[in-house]
Amino acid sequence: MKVERPALGATIRRARVPVVLTVIAAGIAALGGYWTGVSHDRHSATAVVLTGAVTWSNEETRLIAFEVDGVVRKPDDGDTIYSVLTDNWQDVAGTSHSDGTYPTCLGGNGGDPVSTDHHRAELTVIDWDTDGAQRMHVAVRVRCLD
């Protein structure tokens, strides 16, 4: 008795079916991942230029209190604190500095890292959503006005 074997072509076709199904499933998974990524919010920050007075500054922490021109504060409002995260700033003469130094209009006198002098400045700021109760104000550019 002779046992008949299926034709070689039929065997190859049967072997290809799982491979093709696996490739299709991988493609669907990749497209699903792509669309999931695209559908999430892209966090982008819009920079805003503010002019006002720096009422307090600490060079060591790189934090400043800044009062924006034309904004009336209520008596119980606290200071608006900005984190200065830039190494690029412009002095009163218009010279740009990108050497890592702290802006002169924010620094204290005589080596004191804290200044309470009311210096005028222009800040380019973004608000950073920290997933907390308040957004963090970040100064990404400083231009000294006095």
Side-chain angles (χ1 to χ4, degrees):
M1 174 187 303
K2 184 176 179 185
V3 178
E4 288 190 32
R5 294 185 165 191
L8 183 58
T11 304
I12 292 174
R13 277 192 296 272
R14 271 187 252 134
R16 282 190 210 168
V17 171
V19 171
V20 169
L21 290 176
T22 302
V23 168
I24 291 171
I28 290 171
L31 276 174
Y34 171 77
W35 285 113
T36 300
V38 168
S39 67
H40 284 284
D41 287 338
R42 296 284 185 221
H43 296 286
S44 61
T46 302
V48 177
V49 178
L50 303 174
T51 303
V54 177
T55 59
W56 174 86
S57 173
N58 186 328
E59 183 174 355
E60 291 174 349
T61 62
R62 296 184 75 89
L63 296 175
I64 62 171
F66 187 71
E67 292 183 359
V68 179
D69 287 349
V71 175
V72 179
R73 288 180 18 172
K74 297 176 185 166
D76 59 346
D77 283 347
D79 289 327
T80 303
I81 303 297
Y82 291 81
S83 180
V84 179
L85 296 183
T86 182
D87 290 328
N88 205 355
W89 60 279
Q90 195 174 39
D91 63 25
V92 177
T95 305
S96 291
H97 301 267
S98 55
D99 52 5
T101 58
Y102 197 62
T104 53
C105 60
L106 304 182
N109 295 323
D112 187 1
V114 176
S115 171
T116 55
D117 300 334
H118 285 60
H119 289 288
R120 305 259 320 130
E122 178 184 271
L123 305 178
T124 302
V125 300
I126 59 171
D127 285 339
W128 179 10
D129 185 358
T130 60
D131 290 332
Q134 288 186 315
R135 293 176 177 253
M136 182 175 168
H137 305 295
V138 179
V140 295
R141 186 187 65 83
V142 174
R143 183 175 142 225
C144 298
L145 299 177
D146 70 5

